[in-house]
Amino acid sequence: MTYYKNGTISNGIRLIQVIALLSGVLLVGSNAFVLTPILSEVAQGLATEPYRIAWSISAFGAATAISALTLSGLIDRAPAGWVLGSAALLLGLAQASSGSSQNWIWLCLSQAVAGMAVGVLLPGAYATAVATAPKGREASRLGIVLTGWALSLVLTVPLAAFIAERIGWRMVYALLAGLSVLTALGLVTGLHGVRGGVVLRTPPWRALRLPGVTRLLLVMFTYMTAFYGSFAFFGEGMRQAFHLSAEGVGAFVVAYGLGFGLVGIGLGIVAPKITHRYILLVLFSIAISYACWHFALGIRLVALIAAFIWGALNQLGLNALVVSLNQHAAEARGTVMGLNTAVTYSAVFAGPLVMSPIYAVAGFTSVSALAAVFIVIGVLLSLKAE
């Protein structure tokens, strides 16, 4: 792996870079999760069913996976600021188009364009975070940038529900588009002269031959399919169970985000040793958390606690799988992380697509039960991961 650093950079410039990169991840998380609490509003506005709106999440995931495999290498061949800034600007155009949608097909196509942008922006942000970090502080810098995911859940998604309730869902995408433009400007100026990224010297098909890598990627696929398939209908499930507004659903998303974020902070202080047994324990616990949603939906406070625990366990699971992939990647970490991005967003496509008919017929508890099955499949695959 090679990184380029543009000489000595002041602390002020480094702070601007971190904020810009964190904002990029925040944008990605916001676009990925914003539909969860406002699914009904969007469906009503476009005169269709909520499950068809969820298909736009699948379109976003499929386009991101394809883009990550074919376009993310741009970060190795051009200035990081221009590549990431252009991707953020394209994301803003896609969000503006999403807010202007007249039917669910238009929304799906707009989200596919958003996925093309994210396939460059997300891996590029990760790579550039490492490239611009002081020597020996790469992991810490990346950890800060990754908090953009938790912020999107705790801040942006509930705010989107609040805006949708009072002004309308189209304003949500309009504001996201404006934020994308500001982030694009920040990336272009803050990363001026920086070339970030990992030079991928190992072809993907060779990386797949490394011991344990293919199996772990399959585990990641089952894990992410369970998450994105259930999270797509999480807000709608809470709404139906407790007769909530979009704003009321936001509390459950905040609970999930707090669990995810607080455990992430804890892992930065006390990092567990990622062993095969540890991964099995975490995956098994996540499967139980999915299966228990049937019992949690009777009492609102219990459901809020369940959402917090779900977020906490998912942070542990994601951390364990990514660390384990890096341990198995040897000298092909860049390639394996690229494959991981593609696998993750293939799950973003597959999850809502698989869960949509289940939700339409049997509701959220059946969706969460199927998610538990996917995690159990991941556990079975993990039994042979070593």
Side-chain angles (χ1 to χ4, degrees), residues 36-38 153-155 157-162 234-235 238-239 244-257 300 304:
T36 294
I38 63 173
L153 288 166
V154 174
L155 298 178
V157 175
L159 182 60
F162 178 85
F234 175 53
M238 298 306 101
R239 169 174 290 189
L244 302 171
S245 63
E247 187 178 349
V249 171
F252 290 90
V253 179
V254 169
Y256 176 92
R300 188 170 177 176
L304 284 167

Side-chain angles (χ1 to χ4, degrees), residues 1-4 72-77 123-131 195-202 326 331-338:
M1 297 183 183
T2 60
Y3 305 101
Y4 172 82
S72 60
L74 289 172
I75 196 68
D76 295 325
R77 301 192 294 270
Y126 291 169
T128 307
V130 173
R195 287 183 178 270
V198 180
V199 178
L200 307 182
R201 298 179 177 178
T202 305
N326 274 279
E331 297 302 318
R333 287 186 176 88
T335 302
V336 172
M337 287 298 99

Side-chain angles (χ1 to χ4, degrees), residues 80-98:
W82 286 107
V83 173
L84 299 184
S86 297
L89 185 59
L90 179 60
L91 179 57
L93 292 173
Q95 289 163 339
S97 179
S98 297

Side-chain angles (χ1 to χ4, degrees), residues 91-383:
L91 179 57
L93 292 173
Q95 289 163 339
S97 179
S98 297
S100 303
S101 299
Q102 299 303 309
N103 53 61
W104 66 270
I105 296 176
W106 185 337
L107 180 64
C108 286
L109 292 175
S110 298
Q111 284 300 296
V113 175
M116 291 175 58
V118 168
V120 176
L121 179 58
L122 189 61
Y126 291 169
T128 307
V130 173
T132 58
K135 187 175 181 180
R137 299 288 297 169
E138 291 86 356
S140 176
R141 172 65 57 85
L142 183 59
I144 295 172
V145 171
L146 284 173
T147 60
W149 287 106
L151 288 175
S152 70
L153 288 166
V154 174
L155 298 178
T156 308
V157 175
L159 182 60
F162 178 85
I163 293 171
E165 188 78 16
R166 286 160 175 76
I167 305 176
W169 67 270
R170 294 184 188 277
M171 181 57 68
V172 172
Y173 280 108
L175 292 175
L176 281 177
L179 182 60
S180 294
V181 172
L182 291 176
T183 300
L185 293 173
L187 288 166
V188 171
T189 56
L191 299 177
H192 178 70
V194 173
R195 287 183 178 270
V198 180
V199 178
L200 307 182
R201 298 179 177 178
T202 305
W205 59 88
R206 290 186 181 176
L208 290 173
R209 296 175 184 171
L210 292 172
V213 167
T214 298
R215 202 179 306 278
L216 280 167
L217 288 173
L218 289 173
V219 174
M220 182 68 81
F221 180 75
T222 63
Y223 175 84
M224 287 299 187
T225 298
F227 170 70
Y228 281 107
S230 55
F231 198 83
F233 298 101
F234 175 53
E236 192 67 15
M238 298 306 101
R239 169 174 290 189
Q240 296 298 324
F242 302 108
H243 309 290
L244 302 171
S245 63
E247 187 178 349
V249 171
F252 290 90
V253 179
V254 169
Y256 176 92
L258 285 173
F260 190 92
L262 290 175
V263 171
I265 294 172
L267 287 173
I269 300 171
V270 181
K273 184 177 181 181
I274 307 301
T275 63
H276 184 53
R277 181 175 297 180
Y278 175 83
I279 293 174
L280 287 173
L281 177 62
V282 171
L283 289 177
F284 186 69
S285 298
I286 293 172
I288 293 175
S289 74
Y290 278 119
C292 286
W293 272 111
H294 175 76
F295 307 101
L297 292 184
I299 302 174
R300 188 170 177 176
L301 178 60
V302 174
L304 284 167
I305 295 172
F308 180 89
I309 293 172
W310 183 26
L313 290 173
N314 268 336
Q315 172 68 268
L316 293 174
L318 182 61
N319 179 278
L321 289 174
V322 171
V323 170
S324 186
L325 271 170
N326 274 279
Q327 290 172 345
H328 285 75
E331 297 302 318
R333 287 186 176 88
T335 302
V336 172
M337 287 298 99
L339 288 169
N340 179 60
T341 299
V343 165
T344 296
Y345 281 92
S346 295
V348 176
F349 167 76
L353 194 65
V354 171
M355 301 298 195
S356 290
I358 304 299
Y359 179 81
V361 172
F364 180 72
T365 54
S366 294
V367 167
S368 63
L370 181 57
V373 172
F374 275 111
I375 297 297
V376 170
I377 292 172
V379 170
L380 294 176
L381 289 170
S382 294
L383 290 174

